Amino acid sequence: MSKDTPPTVPTHTTKQRRSSDQVTLSQVAKAAGVSPITASRALNHPDKVSDSARDSVLAAVEKLGYVPNLLAGSLASSRSQLIAVIVPSLINTVFVEVIQGLQETLEAEGYQILLGNTDYDLDREYQLVRTFLGWSCSALVTAGLRHNKACHTLLTNCGHPIMEVMELGEGMDLNVGLDHVAAGRCMANHLIDKGYRHIVYVGARLSQDYRASMRFEGHEAVLKGAGLDAPLVELDTLGSLQAGAEGLAQVLTQYPDTQAIHFANDDLAAGALLAAQRQGLNIPNDIAIAGFNGLPLGQHLTPQLTTILSPRKEMGRLAAKELIRRLSGKNVYRRQHDVGFKLQLGEST
Amino acid sequence: MSKDTPPTVPTHTTKQRRSSDQVTLSQVAKAAGVSPITASRALNHPDKVSDSARDSVLAAVEKLGYVPNLLAGSLASSRSQLIAVIVPSLINTVFVEVIQGLQETLEAEGYQILLGNTDYDLDREYQLVRTFLGWSCSALVTAGLRHNKACHTLLTNCGHPIMEVMELGEGMDLNVGLDHVAAGRCMANHLIDKGYRHIVYVGARLSQDYRASMRFEGHEAVLKGAGLDAPLVELDTLGSLQAGAEGLAQVLTQYPDTQAIHFANDDLAAGALLAAQRQGLNIPNDIAIAGFNGLPLGQHLTPQLTTILSPRKEMGRLAAKELIRRLSGKNVYRRQHDVGFKLQLGEST
DNA sequence: ATGAAAGCGCTAACAT
DNA sequence: ATGTTAGCGCTTTCAT
C-alpha cells in the first residue's frame, strides 16, 4: 500500500547516493562480524569459509532480509545468470513449447530467461541481441539460423555461447533442431504412398515462416520426382484455424480435382478439417488432409489428423542442457543435434 | 583502427581486471574527444548536449561498435529497464496471451521482460520475486492476487510498482483483471435461461487454478439460488483436451441425467465436444456444453462453442500501459481495472 | 581461512 | 553545455 517517497534528504557531508534502502552485503558482513568479502564467499563459495563464519553470515542474511544485488555481482564478475531467448512470435504455440523446455531446465540451474520477441523482424532481432548483450547475458538462444548481417557479426563475435534452435543446419555455434526439408519429403512420400496424385501444399506467410517453406521444398522435390505437379497456395490470413479454412476454400476453387492437401502446420490443417466437416465433406474420401507439428488437437479431431510429430519441448530441454554443459566449461562433443521427427498416421489421409 | 589491440597483458602497475574486451563508454568518449559523462548524456539525454558533441559521440559509437553495459548503467542509476513477469504456467495459452500483450507494449517502451514460471508453486513464486528484485527490476507483474506470506511481505515492501493481473480484486498495488465469480454467474444464468436444470461444473486441478473455482462459486450461487443442485466434477488429468474428454465420460456415468456441462475453460469444453461427437452424441440436444475464455478453437467447432470471452491480450496491454504510466511518474487514477468479459453465444448450448 | 584495496562500467551530484 | 569526483554493491587480485 504505502509507497511513500524515500527520504530525499541526504546528510550534507559527501556525495550520498544510496537512494534505495536495500540491505547490502556490507551490512550483512557487519552484522555477522566479518568482512564483506567473507560474507560474499559464505554465500557463493560456502566451502571456502569456516563453518562459524558461514553460520553467522547466513543468520545475518536471514535477520536482515538481505537480497543479493545481482546487478552488482554480475558487473563485478562480468558473468550473469541471464540467458537471452529470442523468438519470432508467441502466437505460435511451437515457440512457447520450446521456451517451456528451455525454462524448465534453465531455471533449475539458477538461470533466468530474458525473453525477446522479434515479431519475425530480423532488424528487431538485431536490436534485441544488442540489448541482451548489454545485460551481459551469458548465452543467447535464437529461433532459427537466419539472421541479418549485423546480427550475425555481433553474435559470432560476442564471445558467448550461441544456441540456434528449430531447424538443423550449419549454425555459428550450437544447434538443436530438425530437418524440415526431410519432414516435407516424409509427408509427401506418405501422401504418394497412399495413392494421392493431386496434392496441394498450403502455407501461410511463407516468407516469414521459412521453415514451412523448407518443408515445401522437400514436398516439392518428392512430387516432382514422382512426375507430379506441386502447386502451392500461400495465405496471408492472421489466425491459423481461420487461415486453414480459407486455404481449403481456395484449394477447392483453384484446384478442384485436388485429392490431398499438405498443410504447413496443424493449426491450418485443423482449421481446414473443421471447415470441411461443417461443409459436409468427407475426410479423407472427398479430400485428405495432413499437417505438421503433432499438436494434441489433431489427435482429438475426428478423423484424427495425419501429421508429423516434432519434439518441441524436448528441443528446448536439449538446447538448455547443451548450453549449460558449455557454460560449465565441459566439453561439447557435437555442435549439432538432430531431435528428429515422426510421421504420425491419423485417419485424415 | 588507430587504437591498439586490447591489453591482454596487464601493465604491471595495479590490479587490472578488464578481462572482457568490451568497448566502454570511456573509450567512446576518448574517441569522440569528450568526457565520459558527456558521452553518457549524448546517449541518454541527447537534448542536454550540443549537436556537435552528440554527433561525434554517435559517430564514435558506430565506429567502435559500442554496446552499452546495461548492468553498469542500472547499478549506477539504481534503475533498470527490466520488468519481471511471473506466471504459473506457459502451457495454458491464457497466460501466454497476457504475456504477449505485456511484451508488445513494454518492448515498445524499451523495457525487457524477465520471465518467471512458478509452475503453480507459491514458494517458487517467492524465490522468483527475490531473484528478480535482485536484478533491480523496476516493476513486477504477477498472475493472480494470491501469494504466500513471505512473498506478500516482500512485494509490499520492495518499493517497486506491483501489477497483479488476471482476477479483479483488492491487490497490494495495481490490478487489472476480471471478475471470475461474476463470469461463473453469467454462464450459469445463461444455462438456466436456456432451460437446463441438471447442470454439472467440470474443472481440472481447481486448487491450482483457483480462478476456475471462483467461477464455480458464481455458478454454484446461481444454481442454488434457483433451487438447483450444483454438482462439481474435478479432474486431475494433464492435457486439457484429454481432460475434457474424460470429464464428459465421468459426468455421463456419474450424473446420467445431466443436461448441460459448464466447463472451467474452453480446452476442456472443446475436448468434451470433440469426444461427444466421436461418440455420436448430439450437442446440444443430448448434452449442452459451455466453456470459458473464448479461444478461437471454439468458434471453429461445429457446433460453435458457447463460452465467455475474456480479453487476455488486452489485459496484458492495459497492465503494461498502467505500469508504464506509473513508472513515468504520472498520476494513477485507478488502481483497479476491470477488463470485463462477454458471453459468447454458440450453438453448443 | 580471512582481509584490504582496487576496480567492474556507468551515472548522480556537485561543480564550472 | 561540459567536466570532476565519487560511488552504485559486489567480486577480483593480492596479501596475510
Side-chain angles (χ1 to χ4, degrees), chain B residues 40 52 78 89 121-122 136 179 195 200 222 234 273 293 295 319-320 333-334 336 345:
Chain B
S40 169
S52 64
S78 57
S89 156
D121 177 349
L122 293 185
S136 304
D179 184 340
V200 181
V222 166
E234 185 168 355
L273 198 151
N293 266 337
L295 298 188
Y333 304 113
R334 289 184 298 156
Q336 269 186 42
L345 292 178

Side-chain angles (χ1 to χ4, degrees), chain A residues 17-288:
Chain A
R17 281 220 248 169
R18 300 224 39 252
S19 54
S20 68
D21 47 3
Q22 202 193 333
V23 180
T24 72
L25 190 57
S26 298
Q27 296 174 30
V28 170
K30 187 181 287 180
V34 297
S35 73
I37 184 60
T38 300
S40 169
R41 282 195 272 250
L43 295 175
N44 300 321
H45 312 281
D47 47 318
K48 294 190 174 177
V49 142
S50 70
D51 290 3
S52 65
R54 184 170 55 252
D55 292 347
S56 51
V57 168
L58 258 37
V61 163
E62 194 61 36
K63 183 180 151 210
L64 299 178
Y66 170 68
V67 177
N69 186 322
L70 271 16
L71 244 36
S74 302
L75 178 61
S77 63
S78 56
R79 285 180 285 100
S80 87
Q81 293 290 90
L82 292 175
I83 292 189
V85 175
I86 302 179
V87 297
S89 156
L90 290 176
I91 298 173
N92 195 326
T93 27
V94 167
F95 298 114
V96 177
E97 291 177 84
V98 173
I99 293 174
Q100 276 176 45
L102 284 164
Q103 187 166 55
E104 125 190 349
T105 313
L106 291 176
E107 276 193 9
E109 295 284 328
Y111 289 98
Q112 291 304 320
I113 285 185
L114 266 174
L115 184 63
N117 187 337
T118 68
D119 223 2
Y120 284 102
D121 177 349
L122 293 185
D123 295 334
R124 176 98 194 98
E125 182 186 46
Y126 171 63
Q127 285 306 331
L128 284 171
V129 168
R130 280 179 55 101
T131 306
F132 290 156
L133 287 176
W135 283 113
S136 305
C137 61
S138 48
L140 293 98
V141 181
T142 71
L145 294 165
R146 300 194 185 171
H147 315 283
N148 70 23
K149 183 87 171 51
C151 187
H152 187 92
T153 310
L154 194 56
L155 285 173
T156 30
N157 297 329
C158 72
H160 299 290
I162 309 296
M163 170 62 79
E164 294 168 281
V165 294
M166 300 311 285
E167 77 261 25
L168 197 66
E170 198 52 59
M172 5 192 170
D173 187 10
L174 300 170
N175 171 240
V176 170
L178 59 91
D179 183 341
H180 286 261
V181 179
R185 279 198 303 262
C186 172
M187 182 57 82
N189 276 319
H190 162 72
L191 293 174
I192 288 181
D193 286 351
K194 277 278 182 176
Y196 302 112
R197 288 300 172 265
H198 296 280
I199 307 170
V200 181
Y201 188 94
V202 176
R205 307 193 172 214
L206 293 180
S207 56
Q208 291 184 346
D209 187 1
Y210 66 85
R211 279 172 288 273
S213 54
M214 294 170 82
R215 297 195 288 278
F216 173 65
E217 280 175 36
H219 163 99
E220 189 179 29
V222 166
L223 265 64
K224 292 263 161 88
L228 302 173
D229 273 347
L232 169 68
V233 168
E234 185 168 356
L235 302 158
D236 192 45
T237 316
L238 279 172
S240 303
L241 290 169
Q242 186 55 36
E246 292 181 21
L248 173 69
Q250 208 165 313
V251 168
L252 290 178
T253 57
Q254 214 168 326
Y255 305 98
D257 52 352
T258 299
Q259 299 165 323
I261 309 181
H262 181 177
F263 281 96
N265 61 52
D266 281 358
D267 296 279
L268 293 173
L273 198 151
L274 291 168
Q277 289 183 327
R278 179 160 283 226
Q279 293 165 34
L281 288 174
N282 181 292
I283 292 170
N285 293 339
D286 294 330
I287 196 155

Side-chain angles (χ1 to χ4, degrees), chain B residues 239-314:
Chain B
S240 304
L241 290 169
Q242 186 56 37
E246 292 181 20
L248 173 69
Q250 208 166 311
V251 167
L252 290 178
T253 57
Q254 215 169 323
Y255 304 98
D257 52 353
T258 299
Q259 299 165 323
I261 309 181
H262 181 177
F263 282 96
N265 62 51
D266 282 358
D267 297 280
L268 293 173
L273 198 151
L274 292 169
Q277 289 183 327
R278 178 160 284 226
Q279 293 165 35
L281 288 174
N282 181 293
I283 292 169
N285 294 338
D286 294 330
I287 196 156
I289 288 179
F292 174 82
N293 266 337
L295 298 188
L297 174 58
Q299 304 317 300
H300 287 269
L301 296 171
T302 311
Q304 288 189 338
L305 186 66
T306 293
T307 185
I308 283 180
L309 188 61
S310 65
R312 302 170 293 282
K313 201 160 177 182
E314 192 46 41

Side-chain angles (χ1 to χ4, degrees), chain B residues 30-224:
Chain B
K30 187 183 287 180
V34 298
S35 73
I37 187 63
T38 301
S40 169
R41 282 195 271 250
L43 296 175
N44 301 320
H45 311 282
D47 47 318
K48 294 189 174 177
V49 142
S50 70
D51 290 3
S52 64
R54 184 170 55 252
D55 292 347
S56 50
V57 168
L58 258 38
V61 163
E62 194 61 36
K63 183 179 151 208
L64 299 178
Y66 170 69
V67 177
N69 185 324
L70 271 14
L71 245 35
S74 302
L75 178 61
S77 63
S78 57
R79 284 181 287 100
S80 88
Q81 294 290 90
L82 293 176
I83 292 190
V85 175
I86 302 179
V87 296
S89 156
L90 289 176
I91 298 174
N92 195 326
T93 23
V94 168
F95 298 114
V96 177
E97 291 177 84
V98 174
I99 293 173
Q100 275 175 46
L102 284 164
Q103 187 167 55
E104 125 189 351
T105 313
L106 292 175
E107 276 193 9
E109 295 283 327
Y111 290 97
Q112 291 304 320
I113 285 186
L114 265 174
L115 184 63
N117 187 336
T118 68
D119 223 3
Y120 284 103
D121 177 349
L122 293 185
D123 294 335
R124 176 98 193 95
E125 181 185 47
Y126 171 63
Q127 285 306 330
L128 284 171
V129 168
R130 280 180 54 100
T131 306
F132 290 156
L133 287 176
W135 283 113
S136 304
C137 61
S138 47
L140 293 98
V141 181
T142 72
L145 294 164
R146 299 194 185 171
H147 315 282
N148 71 25
K149 184 89 168 51
C151 187
H152 188 93
T153 310
L154 195 56
L155 285 173
T156 27
N157 297 330
C158 73
H160 299 290
I162 309 297
M163 170 62 79
E164 293 168 284
V165 294
M166 301 311 286
E167 77 262 24
L168 198 66
E170 198 51 59
M172 359 190 175
D173 188 10
L174 300 169
N175 171 239
V176 170
L178 59 91
D179 184 340
H180 287 262
V181 179
R185 279 198 302 264
C186 172
M187 183 58 82
N189 275 320
H190 163 72
L191 293 173
I192 288 180
D193 287 350
K194 276 279 181 176
Y196 301 113
R197 288 298 171 267
H198 296 281
I199 307 170
V200 181
Y201 188 93
V202 176
R205 308 192 171 216
L206 292 180
S207 56
Q208 291 184 347
D209 187 0
Y210 66 84
R211 279 172 288 271
S213 54
M214 294 171 82
R215 296 194 289 276
F216 173 64
E217 281 174 36
H219 164 98
E220 189 180 29
V222 166
L223 266 64
K224 292 261 161 86

